Amino acid sequence: MDFEAHREQLTGVAYRMLGSLTDAEDAVQETWLRMARTDTSEVRNPAGWLRTVLSRVCLDMLRQRARQEPVEEPDPAPGADREVLFADEVGRALLVVLDRLGPDERVAFVLHDVFAVPFDEIAPIVGRTTATAKKLASRARAKVRGTSPSPDAAGQRRVIEAFLAASRTGDLDAIVAVLSPDVVRRADGRPEVRGARHVAEEIVVFGRNARFADFALVDGEPGLVIAPDGRLRLAIRFTISRGLVAGYELISSPARLARTALALA
């Protein structure tokens, strides 16, 4: 069995399941070790066999992670370009939302909804019946998609897109143009900032993380998540009025982030 021919795809599967490139590569390496200890001469579908072994490894890692105390992850190192590229490819919002699923839900959702693996193959991986595997994926899908946004969600998203595009340029005048004159910026543990010019000046200084932003539903309304390495650092909730950003709130407290409902936009 030519393992190297499957390594990149296996890494992609593991990354979606684990949300960490380091963990994904560890899972792929463990899969290789298990293959090396197994007689695979009669395996007819190497890709499927390896994916099954990898999925079980990932599920074990997710279950172990769920039993441990949460540890605040450090910011990605300046040289962690490959992690950033993987997050860009997969979608930061998807990684953030997947991280809120239970281990079995996450594995079932990734295998079925992302890689179209049949439920009768997923069932033995998660140790459930086929019917239960379907329920796991369905429950995960509902969490990933969230509730239906407001009727004006499309219009709100266009305003946020303009805000994000301006923030990424760092152009003060472009940022001011998407803000209401009396815009208010609120943030955990920081004083309010009021007025388009003052808010825009802050964005010019601190808006470099806008390149790590992705669209998401934040408490059911269009917003942004900042996830440099696919792990949630910040959620932004907006108030839109007359086609401009009238206010926004930066949610960074771990306790508040845990209570904030997030879904794909």
Side-chain angles (χ1 to χ4, degrees):
M1 187 182 297
D2 183 4
F3 185 86
E4 292 305 317
H6 302 280
R7 181 181 290 275
E8 195 63 25
Q9 184 182 29
L10 292 172
T11 303
V13 174
Y15 183 66
R16 287 164 175 81
M17 289 186 180
L18 300 171
S20 160
L21 185 55
T22 299
D23 288 349
E25 290 174 339
D26 286 347
V28 171
Q29 183 64 17
E30 176 61 24
T31 301
W32 180 85
L33 290 171
R34 294 189 184 188
M35 182 200 74
R37 297 194 295 263
T38 305
D39 180 5
T40 59
S41 59
E42 296 186 6
V43 172
R44 297 178 179 272
N45 179 7
W49 188 89
L50 289 169
R51 186 180 57 222
T52 296
V53 174
L54 175 76
S55 298
R56 287 173 173 155
V57 171
C58 289
L59 183 58
D60 288 343
M61 293 173 71
L62 287 169
R63 287 172 173 169
Q64 182 178 7
R65 185 189 295 175
R67 290 192 294 268
Q68 295 172 342
E69 290 293 323
V71 177
E72 185 173 346
E73 297 286 347
D75 288 332
D81 294 336
R82 193 157 176 253
E83 183 96 42
V84 171
L85 289 173
F86 264 77
D88 283 339
E89 179 183 340
V90 174
R92 299 174 195 282
L94 176 60
L95 289 170
V96 166
V97 175
L98 287 177
D99 202 41
R100 297 193 165 198
L101 301 179
D104 294 38
E105 290 176 338
R106 185 165 185 166
V107 168
F109 177 84
V110 169
L111 287 176
H112 182 266
D113 285 48
V114 180
F115 293 100
V117 178
F119 284 117
D120 59 353
E121 294 182 25
I122 296 172
I125 293 173
V126 295
R128 311 289 184 92
T129 65
T130 299
T132 302
K134 288 181 180 178
K135 290 179 181 178
L136 285 170
S138 177
R139 194 161 62 228
R141 197 176 303 118
K143 293 178 181 179
V144 169
R145 293 177 179 171
T147 57
S148 299
S150 62
D152 192 37
Q156 293 174 12
R157 172 158 177 156
R158 284 193 293 271
V159 176
I160 297 171
E161 285 175 344
F163 171 87
L164 182 57
S167 299
R168 283 173 170 164
T169 67
D171 184 312
L172 183 65
D173 291 335
I175 297 169
V176 169
V178 302
L179 302 175
S180 293
D182 56 352
V183 63
V184 180
R185 189 278 292 145
R186 296 180 174 86
D188 291 335
R190 291 160 60 185
E192 289 184 359
V193 177
R194 292 177 174 270
R197 197 77 182 180
H198 290 137
V199 170
E201 287 171 350
E202 181 184 78
I203 292 172
V204 169
V205 175
F206 297 107
R208 59 187 177 276
N209 284 333
R211 68 190 182 102
F212 300 125
D214 199 2
F215 293 96
L217 295 179
V218 180
D219 287 333
E221 297 295 337
L224 296 172
V225 290
I226 309 295
D229 50 358
R231 296 182 183 87
L232 181 63
R233 309 294 177 180
L234 187 72
I236 308 179
R237 190 161 45 200
F238 289 85
T239 301
I240 309 296
S241 177
R242 298 181 180 179
L244 296 171
V245 174
Y248 63 95
E249 182 179 13
L250 307 176
I251 304 170
S252 59
S253 158
R256 288 197 65 205
L257 286 173
R259 295 194 301 269
T260 302
L262 300 174
L264 294 186

